Amino acid sequence: MVAAQVRLGRLYLGGRGGAGRDPVRARELFERAAERGSAAAQHRLGLLHFLGDGAVVPRDAEQALRWLQKAADGGHAHAQYTMGLICYQGHRDGGGGSAVVVPQDHAAAAAWLQASSDRGFAPAQYLLGLMHYNGEGGLAQDSDEACALYERAAEQGFAAAQAELGRLLLSGASAARGRDPAAAARWLQRAAAQGNAVAQFKLGQMCARGGDGGVEKDVAAAAGWYGRAAAQGYAAAQVELAHWHYKGKEGVVPRDVAAAAALYRRAAEQGHPVAQGQLGLMYLSGEGVPRSTAEAVAWLRRAADAGDSNAQCNLGVLYHRGQQHAVGGGVEIPRDDAEAMRWFVQSTAQGNASAQYWLGRMYLTGDGVAARDYEQALRWLQMSAEQGHAAAQYQLGMVYLEGRGTERDYGRAAEWFRRSAEQGFSDGQYGLGVLYREGAGVPKDLSEARRWLGLAAAQGHEFAASEVKAL
């Protein structure tokens, strides 16, 4: 009788099996069965009160928690999971009932999830695995236990657990399991086939790289997986696909700046800092969107405030240079070196090589700072150059070439010009060519001089073409 009441209540709630949808009748049936001790009915009744059903069944957190607690105490695995989830997230009643507040309590959440997990409930195993992985609720951080819990849930077909297990096996974070790209790929494929966006994105990355777990490089397959994840609103996939549309990708994804801008916007509106920064730059240049400095600054600032070091650097450059109207010469962004310095400092605190370069340049020239400071200039340029920043490598070469704030050293100048030149930086190519011509810091070699000066000239370097002719 009780089981029949629960089944009938579910039919009325879902409007299935020929029964018209009637949430009030469903609640009545759940109440009768719940009062007779049915944990399944107590759980259903608790969920109905917790979620509400429009004006017909108003939300009532007090009643919801009373019935959910009864079901959980009675050993109902789904109710135990639900209680664990509520404790994990915390809850404030926004419905018509009394203002019941459930404070966030990760320790209580872990206890409920453990009880549910022990009964084999896959969602509880997954969430408990996350808590072990993050070390929450008084649990020690334990990737091995997380991996074991994910696997138990994954074997039941729980897609989110399959995706997390795949990620864990791909990274090798579990010492007990180690790195196993082949197993990772299998689990990710199972999750992706169920529509899990995280797994689709990770598979896209594996296809883009190739060579991991027997997954061959396949840009078309990668774009397909990114596209599926992006269509579900997965911001990281939207950003990756936007990057590919912005530049084009190996003849598979054509360059399409409008498509790139649309994808960046979708991710930016979800709060993705990289997307916000890229969208800001597109508004600045007018690529794929109408040019708007106001929009550019707004998006860059949102990204910068969220801690994106590239956006912080780009804001610094805007304020250091000032921004003029393309037509008419009016000021759109007045120059503000104090604001520029503030953003550069925030960006360099995260090790951003471009911001280090700009700070070094400001101290080298004295432009935007109280006075030149060669010691600071050398420090920042060296940090940037060692990270591979081509312009900083060239500028550092010039410091050694001219002996500004340090002893003149042609050998070091040649070393830094070479590093810059090998990245295709035309100023570095020009500087290295001149040193070969003069035999300064390198053996005199007119053939090498022609080669490097020719490469610079091919990029339109202002002085390189005439130097090649002179040789």
Side-chain angles (χ1 to χ4, degrees), residues 270-349:
Q270 294 184 67
H272 196 290
V274 171
Q276 292 169 339
Q278 289 298 124
L279 186 59
L281 291 178
M282 294 187 81
Y283 271 113
L284 196 63
S285 65
E287 291 183 286
V289 290
R291 186 179 179 277
S292 170
T293 303
E295 283 288 316
V297 172
W299 283 112
L300 284 169
R301 188 175 289 276
R302 286 175 69 174
D305 286 340
D308 184 75
S309 68
N310 289 325
Q312 291 167 344
C313 179
N314 287 325
L315 269 182
V317 173
L318 278 178
Y319 282 112
H320 178 55
R321 288 178 165 175
Q323 182 76 15
Q324 303 292 320
H325 282 297
V327 179
V331 176
E332 290 186 286
I333 302 175
R335 180 167 172 169
D336 186 338
D337 287 317
E339 187 71 357
M341 180 64 77
R342 181 171 80 87
W343 288 115
F344 285 145
V345 167
Q346 287 190 49
S347 185
T348 57

Side-chain angles (χ1 to χ4, degrees), residues 64-327:
L65 292 170
R66 181 169 78 88
W67 288 113
L68 288 171
Q69 179 88 45
K70 277 181 176 290
D73 287 340
H76 191 276
H78 197 160
Q80 290 168 335
Y81 165 73
T82 304
M83 287 298 296
L85 185 61
I86 291 170
C87 291
Y88 185 78
Q89 296 176 335
H91 175 71
R92 179 180 294 275
D93 180 26
S98 56
V100 175
V101 175
V102 179
Q104 194 175 59
D105 186 343
H106 284 180
W112 282 120
L113 292 171
Q114 185 67 61
S116 180
S117 175
D118 290 344
R119 287 171 169 79
F121 194 65
Q125 292 165 342
Y126 163 70
L127 185 51
L128 188 60
L130 283 179
M131 294 185 73
H132 276 288
Y133 185 77
N134 295 324
E136 298 172 300
L139 302 173
Q141 198 286 323
D142 189 340
S143 297
D144 293 341
E145 182 63 19
C147 192
L149 284 161
Y150 290 153
E151 192 156 25
R152 288 166 61 190
E155 286 170 349
Q156 297 184 62
F158 195 67
Q162 293 170 340
E164 286 303 315
L165 180 59
R167 289 173 64 174
L168 210 59
L169 293 173
L170 191 60
S171 69
S174 168
R177 292 294 298 273
R179 189 169 187 271
D180 189 344
R186 288 195 299 272
W187 284 115
L188 289 171
Q189 285 163 352
R190 290 174 67 176
Q194 294 190 66
N196 184 275
V198 174
Q200 291 168 341
F201 174 66
K202 293 302 291 185
L203 275 179
Q205 289 182 314
M206 292 182 79
C207 291
R209 289 192 304 265
D212 243 351
V215 177
E216 299 294 328
K217 181 175 180 179
D218 187 336
V219 173
W225 286 120
Y226 286 152
R228 293 182 201 183
Q232 294 191 67
Y234 193 67
Q238 291 167 343
V239 170
E240 198 64 36
L241 202 53
H243 290 338
W244 285 14
H245 277 296
Y246 184 73
K247 294 182 178 179
K249 185 66 174 178
E250 299 180 20
V252 175
V253 179
R255 187 168 191 268
D256 185 340
V257 292
L263 285 160
Y264 282 137
R265 182 181 300 281
R266 287 166 61 190
E269 288 171 348
Q270 294 184 67
H272 196 290
V274 171
Q276 292 169 339
Q278 289 298 124
L279 186 59
L281 291 178
M282 294 187 81
Y283 271 113
L284 196 63
S285 65
E287 291 183 286
V289 290
R291 186 179 179 277
S292 170
T293 303
E295 283 288 316
V297 172
W299 283 112
L300 284 169
R301 188 175 289 276
R302 286 175 69 174
D305 286 340
D308 184 75
S309 68
N310 289 325
Q312 291 167 344
C313 179
N314 287 325
L315 269 182
V317 173
L318 278 178
Y319 282 112
H320 178 55
R321 288 178 165 175
Q323 182 76 15
Q324 303 292 320
H325 282 297
V327 179

